[in-house]
Amino acid sequence: MSTFDVELKRVVDDSYEIETGYELSGKLISDLRKGLVGKIKKFAVITDSVVEELYARHIHKLLLDEGYSSELFVFPAGEKSKVRSTKEMIEDAMLEKEYRRDCCIIAVGGGVVTDLAGFIAGTFARGVPFINYATTLLAAADASVGGKTAVDTPRATNLIGLFNQPKKVYIDIATWKTLPKNQISSGLAETIKHACMADEEFFNYLEKNMDSILKLEKEACDHISYKNCEIKYKVVMKDEKESGLREILNLGHTVGRAIETCSDYRLLHGEAVSIGLVAQTHLSRKLGYMDDSQVVRVRELLKKAALPIEIPDYIDKDELLEKLYTDKKVRDSKLRFVVQYGIGSMVEFDKNDFGISVSKEEASEILDEI
Amino acid sequence: MSTFDVELKRVVDDSYEIETGYELSGKLISDLRKGLVGKIKKFAVITDSVVEELYARHIHKLLLDEGYSSELFVFPAGEKSKVRSTKEMIEDAMLEKEYRRDCCIIAVGGGVVTDLAGFIAGTFARGVPFINYATTLLAAADASVGGKTAVDTPRATNLIGLFNQPKKVYIDIATWKTLPKNQISSGLAETIKHACMADEEFFNYLEKNMDSILKLEKEACDHISYKNCEIKYKVVMKDEKESGLREILNLGHTVGRAIETCSDYRLLHGEAVSIGLVAQTHLSRKLGYMDDSQVVRVRELLKKAALPIEIPDYIDKDELLEKLYTDKKVRDSKLRFVVQYGIGSMVEFDKNDFGISVSKEEASEILDEI
């Protein structure tokens, strides 16, 4: 009998830069030239069938023009592609094209592309570097900070994946003009969520400038892009592995995700989250953490962003309740909620016991209200 | 245009202990009781169809007796199970049984089980802790240090996976008695490889004590188990991400893997590596790094361990050469080899250009010799 100690204590530096601007593909190439990913000369551009022609093929061509080796790997656009079989399909295509350890993945697209490509990068040849080139507001708000990558399975959303930090994130605001209006609004739901939970001043800003944002005016877009990074970063830094504090990023998502699923994805993620945000304000008011005027302000801001604030008629309330209470966060038949405290902060809890327990009856009352 | 810096520099401690002994399942339970994986009370025991009845079900029962929650997840034994579809099958089964982030995986078995289970642990709920309970000599020699986990794909071996360190490794020598003799020998090939590349004294020990080892005598088993860990650890510590030095662990594997594939897995991994080790001694002698007597010593030691030292007749030499020269390590139609220097050390190279370039003609000559 003997024991052997494997000592593996080391300093890891996963720091990276998020750059926001207009038409950043030229900047990407010049960053690569300057050694952003070392001496790597082989790139895999992963994108979806919509973004391919809009932006990804252009980046692929710039890489080739620069003398790099590059291939495009395209999967059908949509949340339904964020599954293990798409990952496998891209891996096989990369292996067939002789990609090995000495490559870098560039994800060009929205959250589905960056989630999937970041996960592929994490397990391809046991990890290759990757770069995110975000072409949606939602990706800018949500997928650019935190390093969460994942795919969905028939039984669970985002439960197979890993934490993996990109080498750099580009947020190309010029791409937002090709987004459908409801996609812009969907991204704004996460932006409003950030304001609700962490920054009253930013909430005021959104109230005053929503029209400019919807018109995609430069200064406003720059500002929300920066604030999204800043707020999310603060939360993530305090809790990189999501042990507790990071739960506050789920504001509005408990009800939101259930609505998204019950709508069979007729509602976009942010649209469902918008309704979820309204729900948590009602819960918060019920518990004495928000007053009427604050609840109205949140609802009105969501409305201004052209987001839904009521549960659509085609969603069956009983089915929704059922869905909520089979959630992984149900304990002792009570569901855990995080709720905001006034505007710009959160109700705080012990880190081992985050959130408020809500019974099915209480949840039912709240859903009746909205 | 603005930039935002995400600072993610931190100290990571992945240290763990390898414990070698007899019948360690009781020790595993007592370690869990003492907090080896914190407050986790839910375990997924992953194993294969052979090890299930031999050892895994017993551990599963001990976990239940201790008041923990536990389920067995079993896949068909054999290298052919080390694929993405097995990973997916186990993930789905775990999700169906309500496994989420607060679980720990216990891998019970040989290298296939520990490779697969370690990979599953790395991506399940974005990473859950895992423990290896190694029941083969090969797993003890090879899979216990280094944190390499992976699956095979139709186009490549071990290319989809990740680096993931276990919380503890148990090497239960008592389990070796249920291994077929050729499995013992297969594990000894990696042991002899370690001696060849790094430790002359250990090589002498193996020469003197091979009979005791084959009889599974306690002291000898303890010693080789410890030396395997020690040698591999030294190499891995210097090069955790396999940028160069770790390549020396591939001693004998260039030819070995090609032979293994050409034999359509009629040869066990270690058996094929044994022939590969002979091949590299011939190359080394040709280059003046080994003399005749040293080459003979390596060959005789492999023979003593009941390992093959010649290419079986059923393997077509031309096919083997073809296989070698479509390898990922071929550059400018030359293949890269690592070779030993005398007994117990390696020919050293620049870290950016590891190994010796060998043309197809030179390789053909060497294969003719053995």
Coordinates of all heavy atoms in Angstrom, one line a residue, chain A residues 1-4 6-12 14-16 18-20 84 88 91-92 95 100-101 123 125-126 148-149 153 159-162 165 222 233 237 240 242, chain B residues 1-4 6-12 14-16 18-20 84 88 91-92 95 100-101 123 125-126 148-149 153 159-162 165 222 233 237 240 242:
Chain A
M1 N 0.8 -1.2 0.0 CA 0.0 0.0 0.0 C 0.9 1.3 0.0 O 1.8 1.4 0.8 CB -0.9 0.0 1.3 CG -1.9 1.1 1.3 SD -3.5 0.5 1.8 CE -4.2 2.1 2.4
S2 N 0.6 2.1 -1.0 CA 1.4 3.3 -1.0 C 0.5 4.4 -1.6 O -0.5 4.2 -2.3 CB 2.6 3.1 -1.9 OG 2.2 2.8 -3.2
T3 N 0.9 5.7 -1.4 CA 0.2 6.8 -2.0 C 1.2 7.7 -2.7 O 2.3 7.8 -2.3 CB -0.6 7.6 -1.0 OG1 0.4 8.2 0.0 CG2 -1.6 6.8 -0.2
F4 N 0.7 8.3 -3.8 CA 1.5 9.1 -4.6 C 0.8 10.5 -4.8 O -0.4 10.5 -5.2 CB 1.8 8.5 -5.9 CG 2.7 9.2 -6.8 CD1 4.1 9.0 -6.7 CD2 2.3 10.2 -7.7 CE1 5.0 9.7 -7.4 CE2 3.2 10.9 -8.5 CZ 4.5 10.6 -8.3
V6 N 0.0 13.8 -6.7 CA 0.1 14.5 -7.9 C -0.2 16.0 -7.6 O -1.3 16.4 -7.3 CB -0.9 14.0 -9.0 CG1 -0.8 14.8 -10.3 CG2 -0.7 12.5 -9.2
E7 N 0.9 16.8 -7.7 CA 0.7 18.2 -7.3 C 0.4 19.0 -8.6 O 1.2 19.1 -9.5 CB 2.0 18.8 -6.7 CG 2.4 18.1 -5.4 CD 1.7 18.7 -4.2 OE1 0.9 19.7 -4.4 OE2 1.8 18.1 -3.1
L8 N -0.7 19.6 -8.7 CA -1.1 20.4 -9.9 C -1.7 21.7 -9.6 O -2.7 22.1 -10.0 CB -2.1 19.6 -10.7 CG -1.6 18.4 -11.5 CD1 -2.7 17.5 -12.1 CD2 -0.7 18.9 -12.7
K9 N -0.9 22.5 -8.8 CA -1.3 23.8 -8.5 C -0.6 24.8 -9.5 O 0.6 24.7 -9.7 CB -0.9 24.2 -7.1 CG -1.6 25.3 -6.5 CD -1.4 25.4 -5.0 CE -1.9 26.7 -4.4 NZ -1.8 26.8 -3.0
R10 N -1.4 25.6 -10.1 CA -0.7 26.5 -11.1 C -1.6 27.8 -11.3 O -2.8 27.8 -11.0 CB -0.5 25.8 -12.4 CG -1.8 25.4 -13.1 CD -1.6 24.1 -13.8 NE -2.8 23.7 -14.6 CZ -3.9 23.2 -14.1 NH1 -4.0 23.0 -12.8 NH2 -4.9 22.9 -14.9
V11 N -0.9 28.8 -11.9 CA -1.7 30.0 -12.2 C -2.2 29.9 -13.6 O -1.5 29.6 -14.6 CB -0.7 31.2 -12.1 CG1 -1.5 32.5 -12.5 CG2 -0.2 31.3 -10.7
V12 N -3.5 30.2 -13.8 CA -4.1 30.1 -15.1 C -4.5 31.5 -15.5 O -5.1 32.2 -14.7 CB -5.3 29.2 -15.1 CG1 -6.1 29.2 -16.4 CG2 -4.9 27.7 -14.8
D14 N -6.8 33.3 -18.1 CA -7.8 33.2 -19.2 C -8.3 34.6 -19.6 O -9.4 34.7 -20.2 CB -9.0 32.3 -18.8 CG -8.6 30.8 -18.9 OD1 -7.7 30.5 -19.7 OD2 -9.3 30.0 -18.3
S15 N -7.6 35.6 -19.3 CA -8.0 37.0 -19.6 C -8.2 37.2 -21.1 O -7.5 36.6 -21.9 CB -7.0 38.0 -19.0 OG -6.9 37.8 -17.6
Y16 N -9.2 38.0 -21.4 CA -9.3 38.3 -22.8 C -10.0 39.7 -23.0 O -10.5 40.3 -22.0 CB -10.1 37.2 -23.6 CG -11.5 37.1 -23.1 CD1 -12.6 37.7 -23.7 CD2 -11.8 36.2 -22.0 CE1 -13.9 37.5 -23.2 CE2 -13.1 36.0 -21.6 CZ -14.2 36.7 -22.2 OH -15.4 36.5 -21.7
I18 N -12.8 42.2 -24.9 CA -14.1 42.3 -25.7 C -14.0 43.7 -26.5 O -13.9 44.7 -25.9 CB -15.3 42.3 -24.8 CG1 -15.4 41.0 -24.0 CG2 -16.6 42.5 -25.7 CD1 -16.5 41.0 -23.0
E19 N -14.1 43.6 -27.8 CA -14.0 44.8 -28.6 C -15.3 45.1 -29.2 O -15.9 44.2 -29.9 CB -12.9 44.8 -29.6 CG -12.8 46.0 -30.4 CD -11.4 46.2 -31.2 OE1 -10.5 45.4 -30.9 OE2 -11.4 47.0 -32.0
T20 N -15.9 46.3 -29.0 CA -17.1 46.7 -29.6 C -16.9 47.7 -30.7 O -16.1 48.6 -30.4 CB -18.1 47.3 -28.5 OG1 -18.2 46.3 -27.5 CG2 -19.4 47.6 -29.1
R84 N -25.9 17.7 -29.6 CA -24.7 17.0 -29.7 C -24.4 16.5 -31.1 O -23.3 16.4 -31.6 CB -24.7 15.8 -28.7 CG -24.6 16.2 -27.3 CD -24.9 15.1 -26.3 NE -26.3 14.8 -26.4 CZ -27.0 14.0 -25.5 NH1 -26.3 13.4 -24.5 NH2 -28.3 13.7 -25.7
E88 N -21.0 16.8 -33.3 CA -20.4 15.6 -33.9 C -20.1 15.8 -35.4 O -19.1 15.5 -35.9 CB -21.3 14.4 -33.6 CG -20.6 13.1 -33.9 CD -21.4 11.9 -33.2 OE1 -22.0 12.1 -32.2 OE2 -21.4 10.9 -33.9
E91 N -17.3 18.3 -35.8 CA -16.0 17.6 -35.5 C -15.5 16.7 -36.6 O -14.4 16.7 -37.0 CB -16.2 16.8 -34.2 CG -16.3 17.6 -33.0 CD -16.9 16.8 -31.8 OE1 -17.3 15.7 -31.9 OE2 -16.9 17.4 -30.7
D92 N -16.5 15.9 -37.1 CA -16.1 14.9 -38.2 C -15.6 15.7 -39.4 O -14.7 15.3 -40.1 CB -17.3 14.0 -38.5 CG -17.5 13.0 -37.4 OD1 -16.6 12.7 -36.6 OD2 -18.6 12.4 -37.4
L95 N -12.1 17.0 -38.8 CA -11.2 15.9 -38.8 C -10.9 15.4 -40.3 O -9.8 15.2 -40.7 CB -11.6 14.7 -38.0 CG -11.6 14.9 -36.5 CD1 -12.3 13.8 -35.7 CD2 -10.2 15.0 -35.9
R100 N -6.3 19.4 -36.7 CA -5.7 18.8 -35.6 C -5.5 19.8 -34.5 O -6.2 20.8 -34.4 CB -4.4 18.0 -35.9 CG -4.6 16.8 -36.9 CD -5.4 15.7 -36.2 NE -5.5 14.5 -37.0 CZ -6.5 14.3 -38.0 NH1 -7.4 15.2 -38.2 NH2 -6.5 13.2 -38.6
R101 N -4.5 19.6 -33.6 CA -4.4 20.4 -32.4 C -4.0 21.9 -32.8 O -4.3 22.8 -32.0 CB -3.3 19.8 -31.5 CG -3.4 20.2 -30.1 CD -2.2 19.6 -29.3 NE -2.1 18.1 -29.5 CZ -1.0 17.5 -29.4 NH1 0.1 18.1 -29.1 NH2 -1.0 16.2 -29.6
T123 N -13.3 20.7 -26.7 CA -13.0 19.3 -26.7 C -12.3 18.8 -28.0 O -12.0 17.6 -28.1 CB -14.3 18.4 -26.5 OG1 -15.1 18.6 -27.7 CG2 -15.1 18.9 -25.3
A125 N -9.4 18.0 -30.1 CA -8.0 17.7 -29.8 C -7.7 18.1 -28.4 O -6.6 18.7 -28.1 CB -7.1 18.4 -30.8
R126 N -8.6 17.9 -27.5 CA -8.5 18.3 -26.1 C -8.3 19.8 -25.8 O -7.7 20.2 -24.9 CB -7.4 17.5 -25.4 CG -7.6 16.0 -25.3 CD -6.9 15.3 -24.2 NE -7.0 13.9 -24.3 CZ -6.2 13.1 -25.0 NH1 -5.2 13.6 -25.8 NH2 -6.4 11.8 -25.1
K148 N -19.5 30.4 -20.6 CA -20.4 29.2 -20.6 C -20.7 28.7 -22.0 O -21.1 29.5 -22.8 CB -21.7 29.6 -19.9 CG -21.6 29.6 -18.4 CD -22.9 30.3 -17.8 CE -23.9 29.2 -17.4 NZ -25.0 29.8 -16.6
T149 N -20.4 27.5 -22.3 CA -20.7 26.9 -23.6 C -21.5 25.6 -23.3 O -21.3 25.0 -22.2 CB -19.5 26.5 -24.4 OG1 -18.9 25.4 -23.8 CG2 -18.4 27.6 -24.4
T153 N -30.1 18.8 -24.7 CA -30.4 17.4 -25.0 C -31.9 17.3 -24.9 O -32.6 18.3 -24.4 CB -29.8 16.5 -23.9 OG1 -30.5 16.8 -22.6 CG2 -28.3 16.8 -23.7
L159 N -27.2 21.6 -20.5 CA -26.6 20.8 -19.4 C -25.4 20.0 -19.8 O -24.7 19.4 -19.0 CB -27.7 19.9 -18.7 CG -28.1 20.5 -17.4 CD1 -29.2 19.7 -16.8 CD2 -27.0 20.7 -16.4
I160 N -25.1 19.9 -21.1 CA -23.9 19.3 -21.5 C -23.0 20.3 -22.2 O -23.4 20.9 -23.2 CB -24.1 18.1 -22.5 CG1 -25.1 17.1 -22.0 CG2 -22.8 17.4 -22.9 CD1 -24.7 16.4 -20.7
G161 N -21.8 20.6 -21.6 CA -21.0 21.7 -22.1 C -19.8 21.9 -21.1 O -19.5 21.0 -20.3
L162 N -19.2 23.1 -21.3 CA -18.1 23.3 -20.3 C -17.8 24.8 -20.2 O -18.3 25.6 -21.0 CB -16.8 22.6 -20.7 CG -16.4 22.5 -22.2 CD1 -15.8 23.8 -22.7 CD2 -15.4 21.4 -22.4
Q165 N -13.0 29.9 -22.1 CA -12.9 31.3 -22.3 C -12.3 31.5 -23.7 O -11.3 30.9 -24.1 CB -12.0 32.0 -21.3 CG -12.4 31.7 -19.9 CD -13.8 32.3 -19.5 OE1 -14.3 33.1 -20.1 NE2 -14.4 31.7 -18.4
D222 N -23.3 51.5 -28.6 CA -22.0 51.4 -28.0 C -22.2 51.3 -26.4 O -21.6 50.5 -25.8 CB -21.1 52.7 -28.3 CG -20.0 52.4 -29.3 OD1 -19.8 51.2 -29.6 OD2 -19.4 53.3 -29.8
Y233 N -19.8 41.0 -16.2 CA -18.5 40.7 -15.8 C -18.4 40.7 -14.3 O -17.8 39.9 -13.6 CB -17.5 41.7 -16.5 CG -16.1 41.6 -16.0 CD1 -15.4 40.4 -16.3 CD2 -15.5 42.6 -15.4 CE1 -14.0 40.4 -15.9 CE2 -14.2 42.6 -15.0 CZ -13.4 41.4 -15.2 OH -12.1 41.4 -14.8
M237 N -17.2 37.5 -12.3 CA -15.9 37.5 -11.6 C -16.0 37.1 -10.2 O -15.1 36.5 -9.7 CB -15.3 38.9 -11.6 CG -14.6 39.3 -12.9 SD -13.3 38.1 -13.3 CE -12.1 38.4 -12.0
E240 N -17.0 32.5 -10.7 CA -16.8 32.0 -12.0 C -17.5 30.7 -12.3 O -17.9 30.4 -13.4 CB -15.3 31.9 -12.3 CG -15.0 32.1 -13.8 CD -13.9 31.3 -14.3 OE1 -13.0 31.0 -13.5 OE2 -13.9 31.1 -15.5
E242 N -20.3 29.5 -10.9 CA -21.7 29.5 -10.7 C -22.1 28.8 -9.4 O -23.1 28.0 -9.4 CB -22.4 28.9 -11.9 CG -23.9 29.3 -12.0 CD -24.5 28.8 -13.3 OE1 -23.8 28.3 -14.2 OE2 -25.7 28.9 -13.4
Chain B
M1 N -16.8 52.8 -30.7 CA -15.8 51.7 -30.5 C -15.2 51.8 -29.1 O -14.8 52.8 -28.6 CB -14.7 52.0 -31.5 CG -13.7 50.9 -31.5 SD -13.2 50.4 -33.2 CE -11.6 49.6 -32.9
S2 N -15.3 50.6 -28.4 CA -14.7 50.5 -27.1 C -14.2 49.1 -26.8 O -14.6 48.2 -27.5 CB -15.8 50.9 -26.1 OG -16.8 49.9 -26.1
T3 N -13.3 49.0 -25.9 CA -12.9 47.7 -25.5 C -13.1 47.5 -24.0 O -13.1 48.4 -23.2 CB -11.4 47.4 -25.8 OG1 -10.6 48.4 -25.0 CG2 -11.1 47.6 -27.3
F4 N -13.3 46.2 -23.6 CA -13.5 45.9 -22.3 C -12.6 44.7 -21.9 O -12.6 43.7 -22.6 CB -15.0 45.5 -22.1 CG -15.4 45.2 -20.7 CD1 -15.8 46.3 -19.9 CD2 -15.3 44.0 -20.1 CE1 -16.2 46.1 -18.6 CE2 -15.7 43.7 -18.8 CZ -16.1 44.8 -18.0
V6 N -11.6 41.5 -19.8 CA -12.1 40.5 -18.9 C -10.8 39.9 -18.3 O -10.1 39.2 -18.9 CB -12.9 39.4 -19.6 CG1 -13.4 38.3 -18.7 CG2 -14.1 40.0 -20.3
E7 N -10.6 40.2 -17.0 CA -9.4 39.7 -16.3 C -9.8 38.3 -15.6 O -10.6 38.3 -14.7 CB -9.0 40.7 -15.2 CG -8.6 42.0 -15.7 CD -7.2 42.1 -16.3 OE1 -6.5 41.1 -16.1 OE2 -6.8 43.1 -16.8
L8 N -9.1 37.3 -16.0 CA -9.4 36.0 -15.5 C -8.2 35.2 -15.1 O -8.0 34.1 -15.5 CB -10.3 35.2 -16.5 CG -11.7 35.5 -16.6 CD1 -12.4 34.7 -17.7 CD2 -12.5 35.1 -15.3
K9 N -7.3 35.9 -14.3 CA -6.1 35.2 -13.9 C -6.4 34.6 -12.5 O -6.9 35.3 -11.6 CB -5.0 36.3 -13.8 CG -3.6 35.7 -13.7 CD -2.6 36.8 -13.9 CE -1.2 36.2 -13.7 NZ -0.2 37.2 -14.0
R10 N -6.1 33.4 -12.3 CA -6.4 32.8 -11.0 C -5.5 31.6 -10.7 O -4.9 31.0 -11.7 CB -7.9 32.4 -10.9 CG -8.3 31.3 -11.9 CD -9.7 31.6 -12.4 NE -10.2 30.5 -13.2 CZ -9.8 30.3 -14.5 NH1 -9.0 31.2 -15.1 NH2 -10.3 29.3 -15.1
V11 N -5.5 31.2 -9.5 CA -4.7 30.0 -9.1 C -5.6 28.8 -9.1 O -6.7 28.8 -8.5 CB -4.1 30.2 -7.7 CG1 -3.4 28.9 -7.3 CG2 -3.1 31.3 -7.7
V12 N -5.2 27.8 -9.9 CA -6.0 26.6 -9.9 C -5.3 25.4 -9.2 O -4.1 25.3 -9.5 CB -6.3 26.2 -11.4 CG1 -7.0 24.8 -11.5 CG2 -7.1 27.3 -12.1
D14 N -5.4 21.5 -9.0 CA -6.0 20.3 -9.4 C -5.3 19.1 -8.8 O -5.3 18.0 -9.3 CB -6.0 20.1 -10.9 CG -7.1 20.9 -11.6 OD1 -8.1 21.2 -10.9 OD2 -6.9 21.2 -12.8
S15 N -4.5 19.3 -7.7 CA -3.8 18.2 -7.1 C -4.7 17.1 -6.6 O -5.8 17.3 -6.2 CB -3.0 18.8 -5.9 OG -2.1 19.8 -6.3
Y16 N -4.1 15.9 -6.7 CA -4.9 14.8 -6.2 C -3.9 13.7 -5.8 O -2.7 13.7 -6.0 CB -5.9 14.3 -7.2 CG -5.3 13.7 -8.5 CD1 -5.0 12.4 -8.6 CD2 -5.0 14.6 -9.5 CE1 -4.4 11.9 -9.8 CE2 -4.4 14.1 -10.7 CZ -4.1 12.7 -10.8 OH -3.6 12.2 -12.0
I18 N -2.9 9.5 -5.6 CA -3.1 8.1 -6.2 C -2.8 7.2 -5.0 O -1.7 7.2 -4.5 CB -2.1 7.9 -7.3 CG1 -2.3 9.0 -8.4 CG2 -2.3 6.5 -7.9 CD1 -1.3 8.9 -9.6
E19 N -3.8 6.3 -4.8 CA -3.5 5.3 -3.7 C -3.5 3.9 -4.3 O -4.4 3.5 -5.0 CB -4.6 5.4 -2.6 CG -4.4 4.4 -1.5 CD -5.2 4.8 -0.3 OE1 -5.7 5.9 -0.2 OE2 -5.3 3.9 0.6
T20 N -2.4 3.2 -4.0 CA -2.2 1.9 -4.5 C -2.4 0.9 -3.3 O -1.9 1.1 -2.2 CB -0.8 1.7 -5.1 OG1 -0.7 2.6 -6.1 CG2 -0.7 0.3 -5.7
R84 N -18.4 8.7 -29.1 CA -19.4 9.7 -28.7 C -20.7 9.2 -28.3 O -21.4 9.7 -27.5 CB -19.4 10.8 -29.7 CG -18.1 11.7 -29.8 CD -18.0 12.5 -31.0 NE -17.9 11.7 -32.2 CZ -17.6 12.2 -33.4 NH1 -17.5 13.5 -33.6 NH2 -17.6 11.4 -34.4
E88 N -23.0 9.9 -25.0 CA -24.4 10.5 -25.1 C -25.4 9.6 -24.4 O -26.3 10.1 -23.7 CB -24.7 10.6 -26.6 CG -25.9 11.4 -26.9 CD -26.0 11.8 -28.4 OE1 -24.9 12.0 -29.1 OE2 -27.1 11.8 -28.9
E91 N -24.9 10.1 -20.7 CA -25.5 11.4 -20.3 C -27.0 11.4 -20.2 O -27.6 11.9 -19.3 CB -25.0 12.5 -21.4 CG -23.6 12.8 -21.3 CD -23.0 13.5 -22.5 OE1 -23.8 13.7 -23.5 OE2 -21.9 14.0 -22.5
D92 N -27.6 10.8 -21.3 CA -29.1 10.8 -21.3 C -29.6 10.0 -20.1 O -30.6 10.4 -19.5 CB -29.6 10.2 -22.6 CG -29.4 11.2 -23.8 OD1 -29.2 12.4 -23.5 OD2 -29.4 10.8 -24.9
L95 N -29.2 12.1 -17.0 CA -30.2 13.2 -16.9 C -31.6 12.6 -16.6 O -32.4 13.2 -15.8 CB -30.3 13.9 -18.3 CG -29.0 14.8 -18.6 CD1 -29.0 15.3 -20.0 CD2 -29.0 16.0 -17.6
R100 N -27.8 16.1 -11.8 CA -27.5 17.5 -12.2 C -26.1 17.8 -11.7 O -25.3 17.0 -11.6 CB -28.6 18.4 -11.6 CG -30.0 18.2 -12.2 CD -30.0 18.5 -13.7 NE -31.3 18.4 -14.3 CZ -31.9 17.3 -14.8 NH1 -31.2 16.2 -14.8 NH2 -33.1 17.4 -15.4
R101 N -25.9 19.1 -11.4 CA -24.6 19.6 -11.1 C -24.0 19.0 -9.8 O -22.8 18.9 -9.6 CB -24.6 21.1 -11.0 CG -23.3 21.8 -11.3 CD -23.5 23.3 -11.0 NE -24.6 23.8 -11.8 CZ -25.3 24.9 -11.4 NH1 -25.0 25.6 -10.3 NH2 -26.2 25.4 -12.2
T123 N -17.9 17.4 -19.0 CA -18.9 18.2 -19.7 C -20.3 18.0 -19.2 O -21.2 18.6 -19.6 CB -18.9 17.8 -21.3 OG1 -19.4 16.5 -21.4 CG2 -17.6 17.9 -21.9
A125 N -23.2 18.9 -17.0 CA -23.5 20.1 -16.2 C -22.3 21.1 -16.1 O -22.0 21.7 -15.1 CB -24.0 19.8 -14.8
R126 N -21.5 21.1 -17.2 CA -20.3 21.9 -17.3 C -19.2 21.5 -16.3 O -18.4 22.3 -15.9 CB -20.6 23.4 -17.2 CG -21.5 23.9 -18.4 CD -21.3 25.4 -18.5 NE -22.3 25.9 -19.5 CZ -23.5 26.3 -19.3 NH1 -24.0 26.3 -18.0 NH2 -24.3 26.7 -20.2
K148 N -5.6 13.0 -19.2 CA -6.1 13.0 -20.6 C -7.4 12.1 -20.6 O -7.3 11.0 -20.2 CB -5.0 12.4 -21.5 CG -3.9 13.4 -21.8 CD -2.8 12.8 -22.5 CE -2.9 12.7 -24.0 NZ -1.7 12.3 -24.7
T149 N -8.4 12.7 -21.1 CA -9.6 11.9 -21.4 C -10.0 12.1 -22.8 O -9.7 13.1 -23.4 CB -10.8 12.4 -20.5 OG1 -11.3 13.6 -21.0 CG2 -10.4 12.5 -19.0
T153 N -13.1 8.6 -32.8 CA -14.1 8.9 -33.8 C -13.7 8.0 -35.0 O -12.6 7.4 -35.0 CB -14.1 10.4 -34.3 OG1 -12.9 10.6 -35.0 CG2 -14.2 11.3 -33.1
L159 N -9.1 11.9 -30.3 CA -9.0 13.3 -30.7 C -10.1 14.2 -30.2 O -10.1 15.5 -30.3 CB -8.8 13.5 -32.2 CG -7.3 13.8 -32.5 CD1 -7.1 13.8 -34.0 CD2 -6.8 15.1 -31.9
I160 N -11.2 13.6 -29.6 CA -12.2 14.4 -29.0 C -12.2 14.1 -27.5 O -12.5 13.0 -27.1 CB -13.6 14.1 -29.6 CG1 -13.6 14.3 -31.2 CG2 -14.7 15.0 -29.0 CD1 -13.3 15.7 -31.7
G161 N -11.9 15.1 -26.7 CA -11.8 14.9 -25.3 C -11.4 16.2 -24.6 O -11.4 17.3 -25.2
L162 N -10.9 16.0 -23.4 CA -10.3 17.2 -22.7 C -9.4 16.8 -21.6 O -9.3 15.6 -21.2 CB -11.4 18.1 -22.1 CG -12.7 17.4 -21.5 CD1 -12.4 17.0 -20.1 CD2 -13.8 18.5 -21.4
Q165 N -8.7 16.5 -14.5 CA -8.1 15.8 -13.4 C -9.1 15.2 -12.4 O -10.0 15.8 -12.0 CB -7.1 16.7 -12.6 CG -6.2 17.5 -13.5 CD -5.1 16.6 -14.2 OE1 -4.9 15.5 -13.8 NE2 -4.5 17.1 -15.3
D222 N 3.2 -3.6 -6.0 CA 3.3 -2.3 -5.4 C 4.4 -1.4 -6.0 O 4.1 -0.2 -6.3 CB 3.7 -2.4 -3.9 CG 2.5 -2.2 -3.0 OD1 1.4 -1.8 -3.5 OD2 2.6 -2.6 -1.8
Y233 N 4.4 11.0 -14.0 CA 4.2 12.3 -13.3 C 5.3 13.3 -13.6 O 5.0 14.5 -13.9 CB 4.1 12.0 -11.8 CG 3.9 13.3 -11.0 CD1 2.8 14.1 -11.1 CD2 4.9 13.6 -10.0 CE1 2.7 15.3 -10.3 CE2 4.8 14.8 -9.3 CZ 3.7 15.6 -9.4 OH 3.6 16.7 -8.6
M237 N 4.3 16.7 -15.4 CA 4.4 17.9 -14.7 C 5.2 19.0 -15.5 O 4.9 20.2 -15.4 CB 5.2 17.7 -13.4 CG 4.3 17.3 -12.3 SD 2.9 18.3 -12.1 CE 3.7 19.8 -11.4
E240 N 2.2 20.0 -18.9 CA 0.9 19.6 -18.7 C 0.0 19.5 -20.0 O -0.9 18.7 -20.1 CB 0.2 20.4 -17.6 CG -0.8 19.5 -16.8 CD -2.0 20.2 -16.3 OE1 -2.0 21.5 -16.2 OE2 -3.0 19.6 -16.1
E242 N 1.0 19.0 -23.1 CA 1.5 18.2 -24.2 C 2.1 19.1 -25.3 O 1.9 18.8 -26.5 CB 0.4 17.3 -24.8 CG 1.0 16.1 -25.5 CD -0.1 15.1 -25.9 OE1 -1.2 15.2 -25.4 OE2 0.3 14.2 -26.6

